[in-house]
Amino acid sequence: DRRLTLPALTPETQAKIHAIIPNASAISNPVDSGGGTDPRVEYCGSISQAILEDPNVDALLIVGFFGGYTMRYGPGVAAAENKVCTDLADLMHKHGKPVVVQSHYLDFKPESMDVLRKAGVPVQRHIEIAAQCLASAAAYQAARARIAAPAPAPAPPAGPGAREIIDACRREGRDLLEPEAQHLLKAYGIAVPEHQLMRTREDAQHAARIFGDVPLAVKVVSRDVLHKSDAGGVKLNVRGAAALGSAFDEIQRSVLARHPQARIQGMLVTPMAEAGTELIVGVTRDPQYGPVLMLGLGGVFVEVIRDVVFRSLPISDLDAQEMLNDLRYGQMLDGARGTEPVDRQMIADLLVNVSAFATAHPELVEIDLNPVIARGHDYSIVDARMILTDKE
């Protein structure tokens, strides 16, 4: 629950440990040094050095019987145990990696633990507190990195046509339609799917020529329909002009049956998005924190999965990376059950671009990109919704 992970040790590190302790000992991570049954206290020092030299390792936690060698095996091992303690402190400073020791013998006040303390190595009796020491060290390092990171870039000027779209929506007293939202996103370097707007049924022929024989999604475009699927305003896997024309008619009938007064501007046609990991990216205006960016797993099922993180705007690339790392089920992005791993930097760039876009347009009180389907080095924004404040 402290969000600490046990990284895999490199084969080189495991080979070093194999050379120190018998092959029967566990050497993956955690490493079993045989401390409870073997009087060779120097094993702990050699193994610690190998682990701290591993590029996959950021910190070292030693737990169990360390500190009790002299009490268990007599004064003949005292000098060796104390030397390991001073060596641990030297290794900690040399590699710049925290070392924390949890010892069952701490209540007996052994000399070795006093050596560790004076050398600056934290010593704890309880494993929970020792783990929290490492978590606090990680949080401190993250805070230092955040302070040293470049500040978020200033918001860019409004993209081509963006101001005209927003002003037109204000005059008409409405929020942005999805094609307008996509135009704004594209103006700020955010990839949107290729699309065509069928204003009438007859536009099906033109859309079919544009996209060819690929499966298409058809969605209603209406200022009066907020949730398209609930209104029967979506048809999937549509192919060809005839099917597009039929989808136009069926969606129109379904939407008007549920919303008789709905003003329908047409149907948005886009290629079906390939399968991948579904995300939600959104911006809202919090009364206390101001504009806030949200990232969540699950797309349309985000309220079921409840794995979301937030940051105040504007954000930097470091903030975006932290948001990805803070997702409880973020390993889904790394390839789960045979799915293709997602390029995390690609998603971080998307978050930074959405931040810049939202900062440049404070009149947008809400931005909802849901779902965003990510796969490999590509993503698809399947649905984009933007809510204006101060509409005339």
Side-chain angles (χ1 to χ4, degrees):
D1 59 350
R2 291 172 175 84
R3 295 183 177 270
L4 299 174
T5 59
L6 291 176
L9 300 177
T10 65
E12 293 78 12
T13 300
Q14 296 190 39
K16 291 178 183 177
I17 298 172
H18 259 314
I20 299 169
I21 54 177
N23 292 343
S25 299
I27 61 167
S28 54
N29 194 3
V31 175
D32 179 10
S33 68
T37 59
D38 198 319
R40 301 290 296 276
V41 64
E42 60 269 24
Y43 284 176
C44 188
S46 301
I47 294 170
S48 297
Q49 178 176 344
I51 293 173
L52 288 170
E53 290 174 348
D54 192 305
N56 293 343
V57 173
D58 296 320
L60 174 64
L61 174 61
I62 300 174
V63 301
F65 294 97
F66 186 69
Y69 282 90
T70 302
M71 295 182 65
R72 290 173 65 88
Y73 303 113
V77 300
E81 187 169 23
N82 290 345
K83 183 178 186 305
V84 170
C85 292
T86 56
D87 289 345
L88 280 174
D90 292 340
L91 288 168
M92 180 178 69
H93 295 297
K94 174 183 177 182
H95 295 285
K97 300 178 179 180
V99 175
V100 177
V101 173
Q102 178 269 330
S103 175
H104 298 315
Y105 286 87
L106 195 60
D107 291 343
F108 298 98
K109 304 184 186 313
E111 180 186 2
S112 57
M113 296 297 95
D114 189 50
V115 172
L116 276 177
R117 284 199 187 93
K118 289 178 178 177
V121 177
V123 182
Q124 299 294 337
R125 172 65 179 86
H126 300 287
I127 184 64
E128 295 85 0
I129 298 176
Q132 185 57 52
C133 286
L134 285 184
S136 298
Y140 173 72
Q141 179 59 32
R144 289 191 62 179
R146 178 184 297 278
I147 293 171
R163 180 55 53 198
E164 290 80 357
I165 289 175
I166 291 176
D167 289 344
C169 293
R170 277 180 160 172
R171 287 193 302 270
E172 297 173 20
R174 62 175 177 83
D175 297 313
L176 278 70
L177 301 174
E178 187 171 0
E180 296 168 330
Q182 290 185 342
H183 182 92
L184 263 66
L185 292 172
K186 188 175 181 180
Y188 284 88
I190 299 170
V192 296
E194 186 180 359
H195 59 275
Q196 290 289 316
L197 180 63
M198 292 196 303
R199 297 187 182 277
T200 67
R201 191 187 199 282
E202 286 66 35
D203 291 333
Q205 292 287 347
H206 176 69
R209 285 195 298 270
I210 293 294
F211 293 113
D213 188 30
V214 299
L216 302 169
V218 184
K219 299 181 287 183
V220 67
V221 177
S222 172
R223 61 190 292 181
D224 303 309
V225 179
L226 185 61
H227 300 290
K228 303 178 183 69
S229 297
D230 295 344
V234 179
K235 292 288 184 182
L236 304 178
N237 292 306
V238 179
R239 290 176 181 264
L244 283 171
S246 297
F248 189 102
D249 294 338
E250 292 172 17
I251 290 175
Q252 184 168 256
R253 285 195 299 269
S254 179
V255 170
L256 292 177
R258 293 171 172 82
H259 303 278
Q261 305 303 317
R263 289 157 287 187
I264 297 177
Q265 281 71 39
M267 308 295 165
L268 190 67
V269 182
T270 62
M272 290 288 295
E274 297 180 22
T277 302
E278 292 197 6
L279 305 168
I280 179 174
V281 177
V283 174
T284 187
R285 307 282 166 174
D286 185 89
Q288 181 174 357
Y289 297 103
V292 176
L293 178 70
M294 177 186 75
L295 169 68
L297 276 170
V300 295
F301 298 108
V302 66
E303 294 181 356
V304 177
I305 297 177
R306 297 182 181 276
D307 188 6
V308 294
V309 293
F310 299 88
R311 289 295 187 279
S312 295
L313 297 186
I315 69 165
S316 64
D317 181 74
L318 178 61
D319 295 316
Q321 297 288 353
E322 286 184 352
M323 293 179 75
L324 289 164
N325 293 334
D326 285 349
L327 290 170
R328 288 182 294 118
Y329 303 112
Q331 65 268 27
M332 290 177 60
L333 296 169
D334 301 323
R337 300 185 66 86
T339 60
E340 185 179 7
V342 174
D343 183 348
R344 286 177 173 250
Q345 186 59 56
M346 172 190 68
I347 302 301
D349 291 342
L350 170 63
L351 296 175
V352 171
N353 286 340
V354 171
S355 167
F357 168 60
T359 304
H361 293 282
E363 64 272 24
L364 293 172
V365 69
E366 185 176 333
I367 300 171
D368 188 13
L369 311 181
N370 183 26
V372 176
I373 302 180
R375 63 210 161 259
H377 302 286
D378 187 28
Y379 65 84
S380 299
I381 298 176
V382 175
D383 193 67
R385 183 168 62 93
M386 298 181 186
I387 305 299
L388 269 174
T389 186
D390 298 331
K391 295 186 286 288
E392 295 180 4

